Amino acid sequence: MANAVAIPASHEESEVITKPVGNHAAGNSRTCDTTGLPVCLTAQLFIRLNAVLGVVALLAGGIAALLIALTRWPAVHLLDPVWYYRLTTFHGLNMLIFWILFMEVGILYFASTTLLNSRLFSKGMAWASFVMMVAGAVLVDVTILGGKADVMMTSYVPLKAHSNFYLGIILVAVGTLIGVANFFGTLYIAKRDKTYAGSVPLVVFGATAAAIIAVVTLLHGALVMIPTWLWSMDILKEVDAGWYRLVWWGLGHQSQQVNVCAMVSVWYFLATLTTGAKPLNQAVCRGAFVLYILFINLASAHHLLVDPGVGASWKIWNTSYAMYLAVLASMIHGFTVPASVETAMRKKGHNRGLFGWLAAAPWKNPGFSAFFLSLLIFGFIGGITGVTLGTQQINILAHNTLRIPGHFHSTVVGGTSLAFMGLAYYVVPLIFKREYYARGLARVQPYLFAVGIVLMSLGMSFAGSYGVPRRHWDIEFTGAQFAPGFGSGAHVMLGLMGVGAVIAFVGLLTFILLTVAAVFFGKKIENRAMTPW
Amino acid sequence: MPENEEKAAEVFAHEHEEEEHKTPGTVVLTLALLISFAVYYFANWKALADVWHVR
């Protein structure tokens, strides 16, 4: 197949390009001094804005995470019940929705403009998307912290929050949808204007898969949230609770699969940037992304495995057949990504034994360590626990125990968030054009965060194996007539969870401080390549 | 100079060209994953069998 990206002639073009290039207007693009990739200046602005808001949401959700973990740790038991449930709601929305969605919109703009040598389709749409997402996120957070939406992230009917809570979520969803439409518009004009030849790069293909899943996800969100919003204002008399749960998971689960698609795209991107790796086999890798699009929605049924409102055959078809085709996709990427790194490293002469290539990998580069640790945590902890817990019979043992958050913290936090942190170590020098301070600390940060998340996740999983419930303020049932029966083993595991959470929070705070310091005060990168990691 | 980063545009441009590759290390990592999964999966079915007796 032909080239997908135009390679600039030399780094002398690193200033803003004053002539029209590709479909860029004069003065609206530059060539990256480091990678040689073209950068649309309009897209650059919105990548920056979305990244900054993503990190703000990460900080807010991270502080809530620490307070929640220190409450679930019985030896500390920090918060009172009202603030425990309030901050659990706040934490879920900021970490699972806002941090991730802001980053993903930025990734979509980057993939469709820089990798396809195209201008952004519409600046107006980008502003509309950003303003709606910010307004929605602020509205949701203010409503929760004001004590008017203690309904947890799932907001299961008949729990009723203030109407502004649902309105905020709708605004975020519509804003994201506009951002996704802007991405598709950019794909269209890039194809129309022939800014690239042949097929799009795999990273863009993966981003497209994420965007397609996002559309289906957000339509589910609109379908379930608009009636619930009307119900919260007493315009609708009733929302069926069983219907709500079914449709809500089309939003709740699929939004995490948008993350998975985006995370895998980031893996491929960072593998290229840090080791020079390229995909092993285009057809296989792209086929795996198609499997996500076709089957990941059906996998959302595993959230309803103990729900009396849906039948056994529906549950078994979706979770014991369709879901495995989506799992197959993750297994394919789980092989092809490290295999592409191995191929690149062996090509450079690191051929000693089975793992000489891995030992010689750039572990001091936080972009590499974050992505590879993300891959290991996602596969070995998140993947193994996910497939097991998604089995209907075993789910009976685990449902609503702490094993469930133990699983998804290893996928969404140890997987997606850590990969996005790795991406930030390149976004800041390449898009914000600023150097990181304290580079030694930056090299350590992914390990710190990964160790914390692994300890926390394992602590949760094993405490859940002892039967400790999720989303529970006081498993001791203080003052109750009967002892709850959680032994010392469960308490040790909850302690492990607490220690892991503190370490992970230190890692997260380190990331945020380093990134904020770099973005606002870092040494400018002008007419030169970034300092190599 | 950031060698790998400088080659990024070139790698993206030529990523469709298939190359011969041998990845024995990744195959071993994959087998480790599958064995870990088998052990964990079996342990969970065993735990289920211990608490949910079928008579």
Side-chain angles (χ1 to χ4, degrees):
Chain A
M1 281 186 263
N3 293 357
V5 177
I7 308 171
S10 75
H11 282 191
E12 289 166 13
E13 296 177 3
S14 61
E15 295 286 338
V16 171
I17 301 171
T18 51
K19 294 178 291 184
V21 177
N23 63 5
H24 296 284
N28 194 37
S29 67
R30 68 176 176 87
T31 303
C32 175
D33 303 288
T34 305
T35 62
L37 292 166
V39 180
C40 165
L41 296 182
T42 307
Q44 177 179 275
L45 169 68
F46 290 100
I47 294 167
R48 289 177 176 180
L49 288 173
N50 279 283
V52 168
L53 264 291
V55 171
V56 170
L58 179 70
L59 177 62
I63 291 169
L66 181 69
L67 298 174
I68 293 165
L70 292 178
T71 305
R72 290 306 312 259
W73 187 356
V76 182
H77 209 224
L78 184 67
L79 299 172
D80 65 34
V82 169
W83 274 99
Y84 168 74
Y85 290 109
R86 190 163 296 163
L87 288 185
T88 304
T89 311
F90 182 84
H91 166 69
L93 281 152
N94 278 278
M95 293 301 236
L96 273 174
I97 307 293
F98 305 151
W99 143 245
I100 300 285
L101 283 185
F102 278 115
M103 286 296 285
E104 278 167 359
V105 171
I107 289 170
L108 291 182
Y109 291 164
F110 168 81
S112 59
T113 57
T114 295
L115 298 182
L116 295 184
N117 192 18
S118 176
R119 68 173 174 84
L120 190 65
F121 176 67
S122 166
K123 191 175 183 179
M125 283 173 75
W127 272 120
S129 163
F130 181 73
V131 169
M132 286 181 86
M133 287 177 71
V134 173
V138 169
L139 195 58
V140 168
D141 280 352
V142 167
T143 308
I144 295 171
L145 293 177
K148 293 176 178 172
D150 296 333
V151 292
M152 317 300 282
M153 196 185 94
T154 44
S155 54
Y156 275 166
V157 170
L159 288 175
K160 189 186 276 189
H162 190 279
S163 59
N164 283 346
F165 174 79
Y166 306 106
L167 177 63
I169 293 174
I170 292 167
L171 283 173
V172 172
V174 175
T176 308
L177 207 50
I178 293 171
V180 171
N182 209 3
F183 166 78
F184 284 123
T186 308
L187 291 187
Y188 166 71
I189 58 169
K191 183 79 179 170
R192 182 196 65 191
D193 299 340
K194 298 184 174 57
T195 60
Y196 65 98
S199 303
V200 298
L202 183 63
V203 174
V204 181
F205 191 89
T208 308
I212 291 170
I213 299 172
V215 171
V216 182
T217 303
L218 295 166
L219 290 177
H220 277 87
L223 186 64
V224 73
M225 279 299 155
I226 291 172
T228 311
W229 178 45
L230 297 174
W231 168 72
S232 72
M233 295 185 293
D234 295 327
I235 295 172
L236 267 186
K237 277 193 175 175
E238 190 183 15
V239 173
D240 183 83
W243 174 87
Y244 178 95
R245 289 195 298 274
L246 182 69
V247 182
W248 192 89
W249 280 111
L251 163 73
H253 179 72
Q254 280 203 101
S255 59
Q256 306 320 306
Q257 304 314 315
V258 181
N259 302 344
V260 170
C261 256
M263 173 191 72
V264 171
S265 301
V266 168
W267 286 350
Y268 282 114
F269 182 69
L270 288 175
T272 298
L273 275 188
T274 57
T275 67
K278 64 183 198 179
L280 285 192
N281 184 302
Q282 291 287 334
V284 169
C285 297
R286 286 168 197 242
F289 279 118
V290 173
L291 286 176
Y292 279 146
I293 296 171
L294 294 178
F295 295 105
I296 210 72
N297 184 26
L298 306 179
S300 62
H302 72 262
H303 293 275
L304 302 173
L305 280 172
V306 300
D307 196 304
V310 285
S313 54
W314 181 87
K315 293 173 185 173
I316 290 169
W317 158 250
N318 284 309
T319 61
S320 292
Y321 292 89
M323 189 177 87
Y324 293 148
L325 291 169
V327 171
L328 177 65
S330 289
M331 291 178 75
I332 290 171
H333 293 305
F335 177 80
T336 56
V337 173
S340 69
V341 172
E342 181 174 1
T343 303
M345 294 301 291
R346 285 186 186 278
K347 207 172 156 187
K348 291 177 186 173
H350 302 291
N351 279 308
R352 193 166 48 84
L354 275 177
F355 295 113
W357 62 277
L358 195 55
W363 291 102
K364 288 182 179 176
N365 178 340
F368 177 83
S369 59
F371 121 69
F372 211 87
L373 289 170
S374 148
L375 189 149
L376 292 176
I377 295 171
F378 182 86
F380 275 86
I381 303 179
I384 288 173
T385 57
V387 172
T388 306
L389 299 176
T391 305
Q392 190 189 16
Q393 295 88 335
I394 294 173
N395 193 270
I396 298 292
L397 280 176
H399 206 89
N400 276 339
T401 71
L402 211 48
R403 287 179 75 180
I404 306 301
H407 153 69
F408 69 69
H409 278 84
S410 63
T411 55
V412 182
V413 191
T416 307
S417 289
L418 188 51
F420 286 4
M421 287 175 181
L423 182 65
Y425 287 116
Y426 277 99
V427 167
V428 171
L430 301 183
I431 300 295
F432 288 83
K433 299 174 80 178
R434 300 275 185 166
E435 296 278 16
Y436 269 91
Y437 285 111
R439 296 168 67 85
L441 198 54
R443 295 182 202 285
V444 173
Q445 185 275 330
Y447 297 96
L448 195 61
F449 188 71
V451 166
I453 286 300
V454 167
L455 291 180
M456 189 183 88
S457 188
L458 292 180
M460 283 178 163
S461 291
F462 285 109
S465 297
Y466 282 103
V468 174
R470 67 186 292 198
R471 296 170 161 178
H472 203 294
W473 174 69
D474 179 22
I475 61 164
E476 296 299 315
F477 290 93
T478 309
Q481 298 286 326
F482 304 99
F486 293 115
S488 55
H491 284 264
V492 169
M493 290 303 150
L494 288 168
L496 186 67
M497 177 202 73
V499 170
V502 171
I503 295 171
F505 181 75
V506 172
L508 181 146
L509 200 59
T510 306
F511 166 76
I512 291 173
L513 291 176
L514 287 171
T515 302
V516 169
V519 166
F520 292 103
F521 311 108
K523 189 177 167 188
K524 283 188 178 174
I525 300 173
E526 296 288 357
N527 301 321
R528 65 176 175 88
M530 64 178 276
T531 308
W533 282 109
Chain B
M1 292 296 283
E3 183 194 346
N4 293 309
E5 293 87 340
E6 281 208 327
K7 290 179 180 168
E10 198 180 338
V11 173
F12 284 121
H14 296 284
E15 72 169 31
H16 297 286
E17 295 164 13
E18 301 280 332
E19 283 180 356
E20 197 174 310
H21 45 77
K22 285 183 181 168
T23 57
T26 306
V27 170
V28 172
L29 280 178
T30 308
L31 288 175
L33 175 83
L34 291 177
I35 292 167
S36 307
F37 168 70
V39 169
Y40 189 75
Y41 197 64
F42 174 79
N44 273 274
W45 277 101
K46 179 74 174 65
L48 181 63
D50 287 346
V51 297
W52 190 6
H53 296 284
V54 179
R55 297 176 197 280

